[in-house]
Amino acid sequence: MASTSPWHHLYKTKRWYRLRWHQLQVEPTCRLCRAPGTVEAANTVDHVKPHKGDEDLFFDASNLQSLCKPCHDGAKQRQERTGILPGHDVSGIPVDPNHHWNRD
């Protein structure tokens, strides 16, 4: 999230702080780290679907996931740029549900 984005002010609201706190209580470990079998504390709340300033989507609790900072700044950003979530689980299966190996 760039601090110059038109929706940056939403991250400074009491409503966001409460929603963020609740998300980290419900999901205290990084969702992306758990897929390959690693447990890492989450410290970042991420919007699964980019909100682009849509307040309904921004404050939608079902659109949130807890991530560690390295996953948020690395794997998640790469997924948003390329459409592919990098990484695999302990059995070697790609963690991206849209990967062709994970399709029926």
Side-chain angles (χ1 to χ4, degrees):
M1 171 212 42
S3 61
T4 58
S5 66
W7 51 81
H8 181 72
H9 69 281
L10 296 174
Y11 289 97
K12 302 287 185 190
T13 63
K14 186 180 280 190
R15 185 176 176 192
W16 170 250
Y17 282 111
R18 287 180 181 156
L19 189 59
R20 180 186 182 281
W21 181 87
H22 182 264
Q23 174 63 30
L24 290 172
Q25 297 304 306
V26 171
E27 188 178 22
T29 59
C30 177
R31 188 178 294 185
L32 296 182
C33 285
R34 280 195 319 263
T38 304
V39 177
E40 186 67 41
N43 54 14
T44 304
V45 174
D46 176 65
H47 293 89
V48 177
K49 180 180 178 187
H51 58 83
K52 308 242 190 242
D54 177 344
E55 288 192 36
D56 291 332
L57 196 54
F58 184 90
F59 292 112
D60 180 2
S62 67
N63 187 42
L64 300 177
Q65 64 182 346
S66 299
L67 301 177
C68 64
K69 185 148 178 64
C71 284
H72 178 266
D73 294 352
K76 178 62 191 297
Q77 299 303 316
R78 181 172 167 194
Q79 179 187 30
E80 288 183 2
R81 275 192 323 273
T82 66
I84 299 168
L85 181 62
H88 55 81
D89 64 17
V90 293
S91 63
I93 303 298
V95 295
D96 187 342
N98 295 319
H99 190 281
H100 67 276
W101 286 5
N102 292 328
R103 293 187 199 142
D104 291 331

